Amino acid sequence: MMNLRSVASAAVLAFSLAACGKNAVPPAAGAGPEQSATASEEKRAPVGDAFTYANYMDARVTNADLDLTVDFDRKVIDGVATLDFVREKAGAPVLDLDTNDLTIKWAQTSAGDGSWTPAKYSLGPDAPLKGSKLEIEIPEGATKVRIAYETSPGAIGLQWLDAAQTAGKKSPYVYSQNEELGARSMAPLQDTPAVRMTYTAHVRVPKGLRAVMSAEQDSGPRDGDYTFKMPQKIPSYLIALAVGDIDFKAISNEVGAYSEPSVVADAAKEFEDTPQMIAAAQALYGPYRWGRYDMLILPPSFPYGGMENPRLTFLTPTLLAGDKSLVDTVAHELAHSWSGNLVTNATWRDAWLNEGVTTYVENRIVEKVYGRERAEMERVLELKDLKQTVADEDRPELTALKMPADMADPDDAFSDISYNKGAFFLFFLESRFGREAFDGFLKSYFDHFAFQSITTEDFVAYLKSHLMAAHPGAVTDDEINAWVYEPGLPSTLPVPHSDAFDRVDAERADWLAGKIAAKDIDARHWSALEFLHFVGSLPDGTTPAQMADLDAAFGFTATKNAEIAFAWYMKAIKAGYEPAMPAIEAFLIRVGRGKFIYPLYAALKENGREDFARQIYAEARPDYHPVAQRRLDKTLG
Ligand code: BES
Ligand code: ZN
């Protein structure tokens, strides 16, 4: 699977964490009488998040109301953010918020009686990744702040597309991508997954355009004036907005696809199994708690495969293969409705609680909807990637599930470790406790921690007090520690197997040995995953002539399946297979998905084609998202 991990982080942040050791617990903050935490929240100590300035242990934001005007001419959002907060510490004198590239115009406070007074505030120095602290004085009795601000055209969480960069070519487009630290470039917030809030928004856009958010959508006319409401508590990274010429097509009563008009019919068809996926997930893990489940298919520059924005998953159009072969990403984003959105990692060091649990749940949904064989194949591919990542990682501390306290960049926590080692930890638990017991456990876990942000330690404690206590002897503490806190792959790693892939391997071996020509490979019944495995496991040293033989038989260079194309292009670059180069260039110019473009540029560079890579990047860069630009500028800029 993909590796979202950043190559290197330029900035080493200076910070101090309340909790440094893996089991250390920071001192508990005094809980004020106004605190309305649930019982299980109260037992847990607050956690330190190195990537926020927010003083949420003193004063915590509980609701955000965003009044936004989207200005496409200047590529800025003009906003007023009204934040409700509670004091966790009596007498806390300030509310500290995160901002990045925001211009602050004024700030006011209110005691909630409708009157507002100007507030003293200061904006701290700008740090890479973290941005600037906005410190607002909160007089006694104040329960709300409101801040007038403007975003910057280079905001890290927003991509602005000119009309020419969209499918329809007629209207501009803007969308947010707020995981991990993007939300603070869209609004001043306590931008840490440890803080959950409800939100409402009022968004003004040019007439004729539609705005959508990760919330209850506006059902009114397309008049340029939209209101939204997210009544459930979510972390800031799940606040999401997109504006453009956006149409909608229903898939069922509760599910639908939003996208530019030319894409919406294809999207509704490709993702028509989503209602069955929801049914499968609910049968396993309890009710879907977010109301509707819609999907927004973004322009091709969207830098991720998918983003689990609640009620409105964001998806790359590279999933539209035409044969539903890439819908496991929908299963993944849907799975986040339980793991991630309902139960959220409290810090980015605990990202495996979001991504690992989700990768496991994704696999279970795929198994229920598409059968055991497909789920098995995915597990085999995931383990292969995981082993490669563990072998390649020269910082062993980044191969434990719990990420180190001095992790330089939250992106470090999004690798095959959090996704696949995390998922295999759960497969391990499933194998030891049995499916029935483990399914029951996960369901009760989602229920117990619903709408809370938790740490790895909370997960382990709950595992011990519930599942392990009920099944003494099934798993030892040492085995758990090896998975969670130790680097590398534990000896208890369950090894998946796929008979279908064995058959693919046998065909490949015969072809490599020269026993059969490519056209005689028996691929009549292969699915996209089998082709993906066939291509992905071509050995180093495959020759251009062999690549041409395969291309003539299967047309890989021209495939419409973006995953197969990507795997093929990686092999083509290594093999020096020239006929694929124009297709690689076209792919890199059309697609901005990081999972594909970072490795392709790196492979071009490593295989003596740096000039080619630079030339393509010069053309493609204006269409890439700011996070992709920032990353590629380091290597190709
Ligand atoms: N939450 C992630 C996307 C993400 C990760 C955004 C890190 C920002 C920082 C999303 O759920 C995800 O994992 N997407 C994957 C797809 C998946 C099938 C593994 C992707 O984008 O490739
Ligand atoms: Zn995910």
Side-chain angles (χ1 to χ4, degrees):
M1 211 194 52
M2 87 294 125
N3 190 337
L4 293 163
R5 185 171 56 75
S6 67
V7 192
S9 161
V12 177
L13 295 170
F15 58 81
S16 68
L17 261 186
C20 311
K22 56 190 179 186
N23 290 314
V25 175
E34 72 278 44
Q35 194 185 36
S36 61
T38 66
S40 56
E41 244 175 349
E42 267 163 315
K43 268 183 265 144
R44 295 197 317 279
V47 291
D49 174 359
F51 300 102
T52 183
Y53 293 111
N55 63 335
Y56 55 96
M57 295 176 203
D58 299 343
R60 186 167 51 86
V61 171
T62 57
N63 178 257
D65 175 59
L66 305 175
D67 196 307
L68 308 175
T69 304
V70 178
D71 181 341
F72 281 102
D73 294 330
R74 294 173 54 235
K75 298 193 161 115
V76 301
I77 295 176
D78 196 37
V80 176
T82 305
L83 308 177
D84 296 353
F85 63 89
V86 292
R87 274 175 238 245
E88 298 289 356
K89 271 197 193 125
V94 294
L95 180 70
D96 290 340
L97 304 174
D98 295 296
T99 75
N100 197 355
D101 279 340
L102 297 184
T103 305
I104 305 299
K105 299 178 185 171
W106 48 257
Q108 302 175 333
T109 61
S110 168
D113 55 2
S115 73
W116 292 88
T117 9
K120 282 197 194 136
Y121 67 91
S122 65
L123 195 62
D126 182 37
L129 294 174
K130 267 178 95 167
S132 313
K133 170 158 85 178
L134 175 61
E135 184 159 286
I136 303 172
E137 286 186 20
I138 44 172
E140 213 187 313
T143 57
K144 289 170 184 279
V145 297
R146 99 181 161 186
I147 304 131
Y149 69 96
E150 192 171 276
T151 65
S152 109
I156 195 70
L158 297 172
Q159 185 178 18
W160 297 86
L161 296 167
D162 298 327
Q165 293 170 291
T166 65
K169 313 279 179 214
K170 280 197 223 105
S171 312
Y173 200 106
V174 66
Y175 69 90
S176 67
Q177 167 52 49
N178 285 344
E179 192 177 20
E180 301 103 346
L181 310 180
R184 65 190 69 179
S185 73
M186 188 168 123
L189 291 165
Q190 290 192 319
D191 192 15
T192 163
V195 172
R196 310 182 73 94
M197 69 202 104
T198 50
Y199 84 84
T200 50
H202 180 188
V203 183
R204 287 177 207 82
V205 307
K207 274 208 176 57
L209 298 190
R210 189 204 294 265
V212 289
M213 291 192 83
S214 55
E216 282 169 20
Q217 305 302 335
D218 188 322
S219 54
R222 210 164 138 161
D223 56 0
D225 196 300
Y226 301 90
T227 55
F228 302 93
K229 185 178 172 67
M230 170 42 80
Q232 285 118 325
K233 293 190 291 174
I234 58 165
S236 54
Y237 75 88
L238 294 176
I239 298 175
L241 168 71
V243 181
D245 181 11
I246 297 172
D247 254 2
F248 174 77
K249 191 167 164 48
I251 291 173
S252 73
N253 279 341
E254 292 85 28
V255 180
Y258 287 95
S259 71
E260 282 197 74
S262 63
V263 179
V264 78
D266 286 350
K269 181 86 192 117
E270 193 87 22
F271 304 134
E272 68 183 2
D273 295 342
T274 308
Q276 285 97 287
M277 291 185 182
I278 298 173
Q282 295 196 104
L284 285 165
Y285 304 118
Y288 175 79
R289 306 204 200 200
W290 304 91
R292 293 189 55 87
Y293 184 80
D294 292 316
M295 291 162 276
L296 172 70
I297 294 80
L298 287 125
S301 59
F302 183 58
Y304 295 102
M307 176 64 213
E308 65 268 29
N309 299 130
R311 295 180 69 102
L312 185 64
T313 279
F314 283 22
L315 296 172
T316 170
T318 62
L319 301 181
L320 301 172
D323 61 358
K324 304 184 191 173
S325 58
L326 302 178
V327 298
D328 50 308
T329 298
V330 176
H332 179 97
E333 305 314 333
L334 172 66
H336 275 304
S337 306
W338 287 263
S339 40
N341 299 0
L342 192 58
V343 182
T344 307
N345 54 212
T347 82
W348 300 117
R349 293 176 63 195
D350 307 296
W352 77 274
L353 289 177
N354 280 18
E355 298 301 346
V357 180
T358 289
T359 301
Y360 172 84
V361 170
E362 166 197 343
N363 197 267
R364 297 296 304 276
I365 295 171
V366 167
E367 181 178 315
K368 259 190 180 269
V369 178
Y370 299 105
R372 210 182 158 78
E373 196 165 54
R374 181 159 169 178
E376 259 168 9
M377 289 193 267
E378 298 206 337
R379 290 204 293 274
V380 172
L381 292 175
E382 284 164 4
L383 181 57
K384 190 177 148 218
D385 289 346
L386 173 59
K387 284 183 170 164
Q388 190 66 49
T389 296
V390 169
D392 292 348
E393 180 57 72
D394 44 25
R395 293 167 297 176
E397 69 278 12
L398 295 184
T399 67
L401 288 179
K402 178 80 181 192
M403 288 291 141
D406 62 354
M407 179 172 77
D409 185 327
D411 277 354
D412 286 343
F414 289 83
S415 71
D416 287 325
I417 301 304
S418 59
Y419 284 78
N420 298 0
K421 185 177 176 182
F424 276 88
F425 175 38
L426 269 58
F427 289 125
F428 158 73
L429 294 172
E430 181 198 312
S431 76
R432 286 292 180 85
F433 293 102
R435 259 208 178 169
E436 210 187 312
F438 190 64
D439 287 355
F441 165 76
L442 258 196
K443 186 176 180 181
S444 72
Y445 160 79
F446 291 135
D447 207 45
H448 183 80
F449 292 114
F451 300 107
Q452 296 185 45
S453 299
I454 68 164
T455 62
T456 298
E457 289 64 39
D458 297 323
F459 177 94
V460 171
Y462 188 75
L463 176 72
K464 288 186 174 167
S465 60
H466 286 71
L467 198 54
M468 287 167 69
H471 298 83
V475 171
T476 68
D477 286 1
D478 284 351
E479 287 171 331
I480 300 294
N481 274 331
W483 276 99
V484 177
Y485 294 114
E486 283 165 29
L489 292 178
S491 58
T492 55
L493 177 74
V495 179
H497 181 84
S498 159
D499 290 336
F501 279 180
D502 286 351
R503 292 191 288 272
V504 172
D505 292 337
E507 294 289 329
R508 193 195 312 94
D510 283 352
W511 171 75
L512 282 167
K515 288 189 201 158
I516 54 172
K519 65 176 175 29
D520 298 320
I521 292 172
D522 184 6
R524 280 168 301 170
H525 303 294
W526 287 6
S527 67
L529 281 176
E530 284 147 308
F531 279 109
L532 195 58
H533 177 61
F534 179 86
V535 172
S537 290
L538 286 171
D540 289 348
T542 306
T543 65
Q546 287 175 312
M547 297 292 284
D549 188 26
L550 292 175
D551 218 3
F554 300 113
F556 287 135
T557 297
T559 177
K560 290 217 158 28
N561 185 303
E563 293 283 347
I564 296 173
F566 166 68
W568 176 250
Y569 297 157
M570 290 296 286
K571 297 292 176 184
I573 294 167
K574 282 184 192 141
Y577 176 56
E578 294 301 330
M581 295 306 150
I584 294 172
E585 177 170 7
F587 186 85
L588 285 169
I589 287 167
R590 187 173 35 121
V591 173
R593 185 174 171 191
K595 174 189 176 183
F596 299 147
I597 67 173
Y598 306 145
L600 283 171
Y601 279 117
L604 286 171
K605 213 176 148 182
E606 282 159 24
N607 288 276
R609 293 177 196 265
E610 187 164 352
D611 290 347
F612 184 50
R614 281 180 197 282
Q615 170 215 316
I616 300 171
Y617 184 50
E619 188 175 342
R621 188 183 184 281
D623 287 353
Y624 289 159
H625 187 280
V627 293
Q629 292 180 349
R630 188 179 68 178
R631 190 148 150 172
L632 290 166
D633 283 350
K634 288 182 199 157
T635 50
L636 296 168

